[in-house]
Amino acid sequence: QKASKEWLKHTSEPSLCRCFAMAALVDINDHAVGVLACLVGKPLEPFLAGFLEGGFRQEIRSFVEGHAASFLVVCTDGSYPLAWTDLHREYRELFDRQLTSVVQEEGFSREDFREYCEDLRQAAAGLDAEAPLPGASGVRVAEFWDFVRSLTASEDFDRFLSIMFGAAALLHNHTLQAGGVDEYPVGAQRSPQEVEVEVTVPAGVASGEPMAVEYLGHQFHLLVPEGCIPGTTFRALLTLPAGVPGAA
């Protein structure tokens, strides 16, 4: 056994405590790499490095790319498809399995790992950012909290949506360039920043009234066309912000 709880007390461990869910490396690669650079030669290094392995990163990319089309959806009234929460659960499970693999590779149990993470969290609470972290040789408190944020990012549903919206926008743009528009639930893009979508009129909204929709994480305000009643659909042209992948 390469490590034990006693060994951990003289080294350091990723944060987290109760929740094991690990980081969303597709969108946090730059952040995680930056944190890892600060931890080179320190006890926390192998744990974050385990989530930057090429095989795991490719598994996450494949998941994101494989489900991107599910996020090309117009949402109304602040709602979103329940399928998105199921996909987020599957996404978190990928990181949870990788955590198990990394922990076992370092030679100790998940229970020991969890207990020590909680010990570190309690030790860091209330300390100055530049203070050394008790029980984690060579690690500053600020580095510990950065490490926590990297390792727990996959739990953040909003961050997950941001990753998926970015992949969906890139997918849609690629599909348009390939001439395969009808394959997805959105219409033809008129310019790099304009996209035609199909909108369903929600209950309680009549023709001529304003309504808000969300698409790829951005909100748009529309007027319901004359003759449309709740449950019917109409086409709308949305102008995407310049920062959206695929937009100018």
mmCIF file of all heavy atoms in Angstrom, residues 8-51:
data_model
loop_
_atom_site.group_PDB
_atom_site.id
_atom_site.type_symbol
_atom_site.label_atom_id
_atom_site.label_comp_id
_atom_site.label_asym_id
_atom_site.label_seq_id
_atom_site.Cartn_x
_atom_site.Cartn_y
_atom_site.Cartn_z
ATOM 1 N N LEU A 8 -0.901 10.550 4.952
ATOM 2 C CA LEU A 8 -1.598 11.745 4.507
ATOM 3 C C LEU A 8 -1.375 12.915 5.445
ATOM 4 O O LEU A 8 -1.332 14.057 5.025
ATOM 5 C CB LEU A 8 -3.105 11.468 4.402
ATOM 6 C CG LEU A 8 -3.547 10.563 3.266
ATOM 7 C CD1 LEU A 8 -5.035 10.278 3.410
ATOM 8 C CD2 LEU A 8 -3.248 11.190 1.929
ATOM 9 N N LYS A 9 -1.261 12.640 6.728
ATOM 10 C CA LYS A 9 -1.111 13.720 7.682
ATOM 11 C C LYS A 9 0.186 14.476 7.466
ATOM 12 O O LYS A 9 0.341 15.610 7.916
ATOM 13 C CB LYS A 9 -1.166 13.170 9.110
ATOM 14 C CG LYS A 9 -2.559 12.651 9.481
ATOM 15 C CD LYS A 9 -2.585 12.117 10.887
ATOM 16 C CE LYS A 9 -3.974 11.616 11.235
ATOM 17 N NZ LYS A 9 -4.037 11.035 12.600
ATOM 18 N N HIS A 10 1.133 13.867 6.789
ATOM 19 C CA HIS A 10 2.397 14.527 6.541
ATOM 20 C C HIS A 10 2.474 15.041 5.102
ATOM 21 O O HIS A 10 3.469 15.578 4.680
ATOM 22 C CB HIS A 10 3.554 13.554 6.807
ATOM 23 C CG HIS A 10 3.571 13.070 8.212
ATOM 24 N ND1 HIS A 10 3.935 13.868 9.270
ATOM 25 C CD2 HIS A 10 3.215 11.872 8.747
ATOM 26 C CE1 HIS A 10 3.837 13.179 10.407
ATOM 27 N NE2 HIS A 10 3.397 11.960 10.099
ATOM 28 N N THR A 11 1.410 14.848 4.375
ATOM 29 C CA THR A 11 1.383 15.329 3.010
ATOM 30 C C THR A 11 0.192 16.232 2.860
ATOM 31 O O THR A 11 -0.087 17.043 3.695
ATOM 32 C CB THR A 11 1.291 14.146 2.035
ATOM 33 O OG1 THR A 11 0.088 13.465 2.272
ATOM 34 C CG2 THR A 11 2.467 13.248 2.187
ATOM 35 N N SER A 12 -0.533 16.082 1.746
ATOM 36 C CA SER A 12 -1.671 16.931 1.592
ATOM 37 C C SER A 12 -2.608 16.324 0.633
ATOM 38 O O SER A 12 -2.287 15.447 -0.093
ATOM 39 C CB SER A 12 -1.178 18.239 1.087
ATOM 40 O OG SER A 12 -1.734 18.564 -0.087
ATOM 41 N N GLU A 13 -3.805 16.776 0.667
ATOM 42 C CA GLU A 13 -4.837 16.140 -0.058
ATOM 43 C C GLU A 13 -5.772 17.142 -0.630
ATOM 44 O O GLU A 13 -5.908 18.205 -0.128
ATOM 45 C CB GLU A 13 -5.635 15.341 0.903
ATOM 46 C CG GLU A 13 -5.653 13.909 0.746
ATOM 47 C CD GLU A 13 -4.621 13.317 -0.015
ATOM 48 O OE1 GLU A 13 -3.542 13.668 -0.104
ATOM 49 O OE2 GLU A 13 -4.925 12.431 -0.591
ATOM 50 N N PRO A 14 -6.482 16.756 -1.666
ATOM 51 C CA PRO A 14 -7.464 17.652 -2.212
ATOM 52 C C PRO A 14 -8.492 17.856 -1.169
ATOM 53 O O PRO A 14 -8.686 17.054 -0.324
ATOM 54 C CB PRO A 14 -8.058 16.901 -3.355
ATOM 55 C CG PRO A 14 -7.604 15.546 -3.245
ATOM 56 C CD PRO A 14 -6.498 15.494 -2.272
ATOM 57 N N SER A 15 -9.063 18.860 -1.207
ATOM 58 C CA SER A 15 -10.031 19.419 -0.378
ATOM 59 C C SER A 15 -11.260 18.640 -0.211
ATOM 60 O O SER A 15 -11.343 17.545 0.093
ATOM 61 C CB SER A 15 -10.426 20.608 -1.095
ATOM 62 O OG SER A 15 -10.867 20.165 -2.304
ATOM 63 N N LEU A 16 -12.184 19.225 -0.382
ATOM 64 C CA LEU A 16 -13.507 18.699 -0.453
ATOM 65 C C LEU A 16 -14.001 17.998 0.722
ATOM 66 O O LEU A 16 -14.356 18.006 1.191
ATOM 67 C CB LEU A 16 -13.530 17.776 -1.572
ATOM 68 C CG LEU A 16 -14.825 17.607 -2.108
ATOM 69 C CD1 LEU A 16 -15.673 18.678 -1.867
ATOM 70 C CD2 LEU A 16 -14.864 17.167 -3.384
ATOM 71 N N CYS A 17 -14.120 17.416 1.293
ATOM 72 C CA CYS A 17 -14.790 16.907 2.416
ATOM 73 C C CYS A 17 -15.905 16.012 2.023
ATOM 74 O O CYS A 17 -15.663 14.942 1.634
ATOM 75 C CB CYS A 17 -15.293 17.995 3.304
ATOM 76 S SG CYS A 17 -15.535 19.561 2.676
ATOM 77 N N ARG A 18 -17.118 16.469 2.224
ATOM 78 C CA ARG A 18 -18.263 15.588 2.050
ATOM 79 C C ARG A 18 -18.437 15.156 0.614
ATOM 80 O O ARG A 18 -18.682 14.008 0.337
ATOM 81 C CB ARG A 18 -19.539 16.291 2.494
ATOM 82 C CG ARG A 18 -19.389 16.874 3.832
ATOM 83 C CD ARG A 18 -20.449 17.835 4.037
ATOM 84 N NE ARG A 18 -20.341 18.878 3.090
ATOM 85 C CZ ARG A 18 -21.059 19.956 3.094
ATOM 86 N NH1 ARG A 18 -21.973 20.089 4.000
ATOM 87 N NH2 ARG A 18 -20.884 20.891 2.220
ATOM 88 N N CYS A 19 -18.431 16.079 -0.325
ATOM 89 C CA CYS A 19 -18.712 15.676 -1.695
ATOM 90 C C CYS A 19 -17.440 15.383 -2.417
ATOM 91 O O CYS A 19 -16.518 16.113 -2.367
ATOM 92 C CB CYS A 19 -19.494 16.709 -2.442
ATOM 93 S SG CYS A 19 -18.939 18.366 -2.260
ATOM 94 N N PHE A 20 -17.429 14.245 -3.104
ATOM 95 C CA PHE A 20 -16.243 13.837 -3.825
ATOM 96 C C PHE A 20 -16.230 14.369 -5.242
ATOM 97 O O PHE A 20 -15.288 14.146 -5.938
ATOM 98 C CB PHE A 20 -16.238 12.336 -3.956
ATOM 99 C CG PHE A 20 -15.869 11.657 -2.727
ATOM 100 C CD1 PHE A 20 -16.667 10.680 -2.203
ATOM 101 C CD2 PHE A 20 -14.727 11.990 -2.051
ATOM 102 C CE1 PHE A 20 -16.312 10.023 -1.068
ATOM 103 C CE2 PHE A 20 -14.369 11.334 -0.909
ATOM 104 C CZ PHE A 20 -15.166 10.346 -0.422
ATOM 105 N N ALA A 21 -17.295 14.919 -5.731
ATOM 106 C CA ALA A 21 -17.423 15.209 -7.139
ATOM 107 C C ALA A 21 -16.289 16.065 -7.642
ATOM 108 O O ALA A 21 -15.967 17.022 -7.027
ATOM 109 C CB ALA A 21 -18.685 15.934 -7.372
ATOM 110 N N MET A 22 -15.702 15.697 -8.741
ATOM 111 C CA MET A 22 -14.485 16.338 -9.187
ATOM 112 C C MET A 22 -14.723 17.428 -10.219
ATOM 113 O O MET A 22 -15.792 17.753 -10.563
ATOM 114 C CB MET A 22 -13.577 15.302 -9.820
ATOM 115 C CG MET A 22 -13.103 14.218 -8.953
ATOM 116 S SD MET A 22 -13.161 14.397 -7.236
ATOM 117 C CE MET A 22 -12.042 15.573 -6.819
ATOM 118 N N ALA A 23 -13.660 17.973 -10.731
ATOM 119 C CA ALA A 23 -13.776 19.166 -11.536
ATOM 120 C C ALA A 23 -14.150 18.957 -12.972
ATOM 121 O O ALA A 23 -13.916 17.933 -13.535
ATOM 122 C CB ALA A 23 -12.431 19.813 -11.518
ATOM 123 N N ALA A 24 -14.707 19.971 -13.559
ATOM 124 C CA ALA A 24 -15.135 19.915 -14.949
ATOM 125 C C ALA A 24 -13.958 20.297 -15.811
ATOM 126 O O ALA A 24 -13.776 21.441 -16.157
ATOM 127 C CB ALA A 24 -16.266 20.883 -15.174
ATOM 128 N N LEU A 25 -13.116 19.308 -16.142
ATOM 129 C CA LEU A 25 -11.863 19.649 -16.790
ATOM 130 C C LEU A 25 -11.993 20.130 -18.212
ATOM 131 O O LEU A 25 -11.046 20.634 -18.764
ATOM 132 C CB LEU A 25 -10.919 18.457 -16.774
ATOM 133 C CG LEU A 25 -10.084 18.341 -15.517
ATOM 134 C CD1 LEU A 25 -9.868 19.661 -14.858
ATOM 135 C CD2 LEU A 25 -10.604 17.359 -14.574
ATOM 136 N N VAL A 26 -13.124 19.935 -18.848
ATOM 137 C CA VAL A 26 -13.232 20.452 -20.210
ATOM 138 C C VAL A 26 -13.108 21.966 -20.180
ATOM 139 O O VAL A 26 -12.397 22.565 -20.949
ATOM 140 C CB VAL A 26 -14.567 20.037 -20.849
ATOM 141 C CG1 VAL A 26 -14.797 20.799 -22.139
ATOM 142 C CG2 VAL A 26 -14.549 18.551 -21.127
ATOM 143 N N ASP A 27 -13.811 22.615 -19.255
ATOM 144 C CA ASP A 27 -13.752 24.053 -19.256
ATOM 145 C C ASP A 27 -12.779 24.599 -18.244
ATOM 146 O O ASP A 27 -12.418 25.743 -18.314
ATOM 147 C CB ASP A 27 -15.144 24.634 -19.033
ATOM 148 C CG ASP A 27 -15.318 25.299 -17.704
ATOM 149 O OD1 ASP A 27 -15.224 24.632 -16.687
ATOM 150 O OD2 ASP A 27 -15.594 26.482 -17.709
ATOM 151 N N ILE A 28 -12.292 23.766 -17.308
ATOM 152 C CA ILE A 28 -11.378 24.295 -16.318
ATOM 153 C C ILE A 28 -9.946 23.839 -16.574
ATOM 154 O O ILE A 28 -9.096 23.960 -15.728
ATOM 155 C CB ILE A 28 -11.770 23.870 -14.906
ATOM 156 C CG1 ILE A 28 -11.671 22.384 -14.793
ATOM 157 C CG2 ILE A 28 -13.082 24.382 -14.483
ATOM 158 C CD1 ILE A 28 -11.031 21.961 -13.547
ATOM 159 N N ASN A 29 -9.671 23.302 -17.753
ATOM 160 C CA ASN A 29 -8.314 22.835 -18.008
ATOM 161 C C ASN A 29 -7.270 23.895 -17.707
ATOM 162 O O ASN A 29 -6.271 23.634 -17.051
ATOM 163 C CB ASN A 29 -8.169 22.382 -19.468
ATOM 164 C CG ASN A 29 -8.651 20.956 -19.652
ATOM 165 O OD1 ASN A 29 -8.733 20.204 -18.698
ATOM 166 N ND2 ASN A 29 -8.985 20.597 -20.871
ATOM 167 N N ASP A 30 -7.473 25.121 -18.212
ATOM 168 C CA ASP A 30 -6.482 26.168 -17.999
ATOM 169 C C ASP A 30 -6.316 26.467 -16.515
ATOM 170 O O ASP A 30 -5.207 26.623 -16.020
ATOM 171 C CB ASP A 30 -6.890 27.446 -18.751
ATOM 172 C CG ASP A 30 -6.771 27.280 -20.251
ATOM 173 O OD1 ASP A 30 -6.094 26.336 -20.680
ATOM 174 O OD2 ASP A 30 -7.372 28.091 -20.984
ATOM 175 N N HIS A 31 -7.447 26.545 -15.807
ATOM 176 C CA HIS A 31 -7.374 26.817 -14.372
ATOM 177 C C HIS A 31 -6.690 25.684 -13.641
ATOM 178 O O HIS A 31 -5.815 25.899 -12.793
ATOM 179 C CB HIS A 31 -8.778 27.036 -13.805
ATOM 180 C CG HIS A 31 -8.788 27.289 -12.332
ATOM 181 N ND1 HIS A 31 -9.117 26.310 -11.427
ATOM 182 C CD2 HIS A 31 -8.485 28.388 -11.603
ATOM 183 C CE1 HIS A 31 -9.024 26.792 -10.206
ATOM 184 N NE2 HIS A 31 -8.646 28.049 -10.277
ATOM 185 N N ALA A 32 -7.088 24.447 -13.964
ATOM 186 C CA ALA A 32 -6.517 23.295 -13.283
ATOM 187 C C ALA A 32 -5.027 23.176 -13.558
ATOM 188 O O ALA A 32 -4.240 22.860 -12.665
ATOM 189 C CB ALA A 32 -7.239 22.018 -13.711
ATOM 190 N N VAL A 33 -4.624 23.429 -14.797
ATOM 191 C CA VAL A 33 -3.203 23.371 -15.133
ATOM 192 C C VAL A 33 -2.442 24.430 -14.354
ATOM 193 O O VAL A 33 -1.335 24.200 -13.859
ATOM 194 C CB VAL A 33 -2.996 23.548 -16.648
ATOM 195 C CG1 VAL A 33 -1.522 23.751 -16.964
ATOM 196 C CG2 VAL A 33 -3.516 22.328 -17.394
ATOM 197 N N GLY A 34 -3.043 25.625 -14.214
ATOM 198 C CA GLY A 34 -2.399 26.685 -13.449
ATOM 199 C C GLY A 34 -2.240 26.308 -11.994
ATOM 200 O O GLY A 34 -1.193 26.542 -11.380
ATOM 201 N N VAL A 35 -3.288 25.715 -11.420
ATOM 202 C CA VAL A 35 -3.217 25.269 -10.024
ATOM 203 C C VAL A 35 -2.167 24.172 -9.890
ATOM 204 O O VAL A 35 -1.361 24.170 -8.947
ATOM 205 C CB VAL A 35 -4.590 24.763 -9.541
ATOM 206 C CG1 VAL A 35 -4.479 24.169 -8.140
ATOM 207 C CG2 VAL A 35 -5.603 25.899 -9.552
ATOM 208 N N LEU A 36 -2.160 23.250 -10.839
ATOM 209 C CA LEU A 36 -1.198 22.152 -10.796
ATOM 210 C C LEU A 36 0.232 22.681 -10.830
ATOM 211 O O LEU A 36 1.115 22.179 -10.131
ATOM 212 C CB LEU A 36 -1.440 21.199 -11.969
ATOM 213 C CG LEU A 36 -0.556 19.949 -12.025
ATOM 214 C CD1 LEU A 36 -0.800 19.086 -10.791
ATOM 215 C CD2 LEU A 36 -0.837 19.157 -13.285
ATOM 216 N N ALA A 37 0.464 23.724 -11.622
ATOM 217 C CA ALA A 37 1.809 24.299 -11.712
ATOM 218 C C ALA A 37 2.283 24.813 -10.355
ATOM 219 O O ALA A 37 3.470 24.743 -10.028
ATOM 220 C CB ALA A 37 1.827 25.431 -12.738
ATOM 221 N N CYS A 38 1.353 25.324 -9.547
ATOM 222 C CA CYS A 38 1.696 25.826 -8.215
ATOM 223 C C CYS A 38 1.951 24.696 -7.227
ATOM 224 O O CYS A 38 2.543 24.913 -6.172
ATOM 225 C CB CYS A 38 0.575 26.719 -7.677
ATOM 226 S SG CYS A 38 0.313 28.226 -8.624
ATOM 227 N N LEU A 39 1.492 23.500 -7.582
ATOM 228 C CA LEU A 39 1.573 22.375 -6.647
ATOM 229 C C LEU A 39 2.641 21.362 -7.023
ATOM 230 O O LEU A 39 2.758 20.328 -6.364
ATOM 231 C CB LEU A 39 0.216 21.670 -6.572
ATOM 232 C CG LEU A 39 -0.932 22.501 -6.010
ATOM 233 C CD1 LEU A 39 -2.230 21.712 -6.093
ATOM 234 C CD2 LEU A 39 -0.663 22.916 -4.574
ATOM 235 N N VAL A 40 3.416 21.649 -8.061
ATOM 236 C CA VAL A 40 4.454 20.707 -8.483
ATOM 237 C C VAL A 40 5.398 20.433 -7.320
ATOM 238 O O VAL A 40 5.888 21.342 -6.654
ATOM 239 C CB VAL A 40 5.240 21.265 -9.683
ATOM 240 C CG1 VAL A 40 6.472 20.395 -9.957
ATOM 241 C CG2 VAL A 40 4.357 21.313 -10.913
ATOM 242 N N GLY A 41 5.619 19.157 -7.058
ATOM 243 C CA GLY A 41 6.507 18.763 -5.978
ATOM 244 C C GLY A 41 5.850 18.760 -4.615
ATOM 245 O O GLY A 41 6.508 18.439 -3.620
ATOM 246 N N LYS A 42 4.567 19.119 -4.557
ATOM 247 C CA LYS A 42 3.848 19.141 -3.285
ATOM 248 C C LYS A 42 2.877 17.972 -3.226
ATOM 249 O O LYS A 42 2.496 17.416 -4.261
ATOM 250 C CB LYS A 42 3.119 20.473 -3.106
ATOM 251 C CG LYS A 42 4.066 21.675 -3.107
ATOM 252 C CD LYS A 42 3.307 22.989 -2.972
ATOM 253 C CE LYS A 42 4.260 24.165 -3.023
ATOM 254 N NZ LYS A 42 3.546 25.466 -2.915
ATOM 255 N N PRO A 43 2.460 17.588 -2.026
ATOM 256 C CA PRO A 43 1.645 16.370 -1.897
ATOM 257 C C PRO A 43 0.316 16.389 -2.630
ATOM 258 O O PRO A 43 -0.224 15.331 -2.941
ATOM 259 C CB PRO A 43 1.421 16.273 -0.381
ATOM 260 C CG PRO A 43 2.553 17.034 0.221
ATOM 261 C CD PRO A 43 2.833 18.157 -0.720
ATOM 262 N N LEU A 44 -0.245 17.569 -2.902
ATOM 263 C CA LEU A 44 -1.529 17.621 -3.604
ATOM 264 C C LEU A 44 -1.401 17.305 -5.092
ATOM 265 O O LEU A 44 -2.384 16.971 -5.745
ATOM 266 C CB LEU A 44 -2.156 19.014 -3.466
ATOM 267 C CG LEU A 44 -2.657 19.432 -2.086
ATOM 268 C CD1 LEU A 44 -3.126 20.876 -2.128
ATOM 269 C CD2 LEU A 44 -3.773 18.529 -1.618
ATOM 270 N N GLU A 45 -0.212 17.411 -5.608
ATOM 271 C CA GLU A 45 -0.008 17.310 -7.056
ATOM 272 C C GLU A 45 -0.595 16.053 -7.693
ATOM 273 O O GLU A 45 -1.303 16.148 -8.699
ATOM 274 C CB GLU A 45 1.478 17.413 -7.389
ATOM 275 C CG GLU A 45 1.766 17.295 -8.880
ATOM 276 C CD GLU A 45 3.260 17.240 -9.178
ATOM 277 O OE1 GLU A 45 4.059 17.251 -8.233
ATOM 278 O OE2 GLU A 45 3.610 17.178 -10.360
ATOM 279 N N PRO A 46 -0.333 14.847 -7.156
ATOM 280 C CA PRO A 46 -0.811 13.654 -7.867
ATOM 281 C C PRO A 46 -2.325 13.564 -7.989
ATOM 282 O O PRO A 46 -2.830 12.944 -8.918
ATOM 283 C CB PRO A 46 -0.250 12.490 -7.028
ATOM 284 C CG PRO A 46 0.109 13.072 -5.720
ATOM 285 C CD PRO A 46 0.470 14.504 -5.971
ATOM 286 N N PHE A 47 -3.051 14.204 -7.075
ATOM 287 C CA PHE A 47 -4.502 14.089 -7.111
ATOM 288 C C PHE A 47 -5.105 14.945 -8.219
ATOM 289 O O PHE A 47 -5.987 14.501 -8.943
ATOM 290 C CB PHE A 47 -5.078 14.432 -5.746
ATOM 291 C CG PHE A 47 -4.569 13.511 -4.684
ATOM 292 C CD1 PHE A 47 -3.514 13.888 -3.879
ATOM 293 C CD2 PHE A 47 -5.103 12.249 -4.547
ATOM 294 C CE1 PHE A 47 -3.008 13.014 -2.925
ATOM 295 C CE2 PHE A 47 -4.613 11.368 -3.590
ATOM 296 C CZ PHE A 47 -3.555 11.757 -2.779
ATOM 297 N N LEU A 48 -4.626 16.153 -8.349
ATOM 298 C CA LEU A 48 -5.110 16.980 -9.447
ATOM 299 C C LEU A 48 -4.601 16.438 -10.772
ATOM 300 O O LEU A 48 -5.325 16.415 -11.769
ATOM 301 C CB LEU A 48 -4.673 18.434 -9.253
ATOM 302 C CG LEU A 48 -5.224 19.426 -10.282
ATOM 303 C CD1 LEU A 48 -6.747 19.364 -10.317
ATOM 304 C CD2 LEU A 48 -4.760 20.834 -9.966
ATOM 305 N N ALA A 49 -3.348 15.989 -10.793
ATOM 306 C CA ALA A 49 -2.786 15.438 -12.030
ATOM 307 C C ALA A 49 -3.602 14.258 -12.529
ATOM 308 O O ALA A 49 -3.737 14.042 -13.739
ATOM 309 C CB ALA A 49 -1.335 15.016 -11.794
ATOM 310 N N GLY A 50 -4.188 13.496 -11.595
ATOM 311 C CA GLY A 50 -4.993 12.353 -11.990
ATOM 312 C C GLY A 50 -6.210 12.735 -12.811
ATOM 313 O O GLY A 50 -6.712 11.933 -13.602
ATOM 314 N N PHE A 51 -6.670 13.977 -12.647
ATOM 315 C CA PHE A 51 -7.836 14.444 -13.398
ATOM 316 C C PHE A 51 -7.436 15.180 -14.672
ATOM 317 O O PHE A 51 -8.291 15.645 -15.415
ATOM 318 C CB PHE A 51 -8.716 15.322 -12.509
ATOM 319 C CG PHE A 51 -9.430 14.526 -11.465
ATOM 320 C CD1 PHE A 51 -8.835 14.299 -10.238
ATOM 321 C CD2 PHE A 51 -10.655 13.959 -11.727
ATOM 322 C CE1 PHE A 51 -9.458 13.537 -9.280
ATOM 323 C CE2 PHE A 51 -11.288 13.183 -10.779
ATOM 324 C CZ PHE A 51 -10.693 12.963 -9.552
#
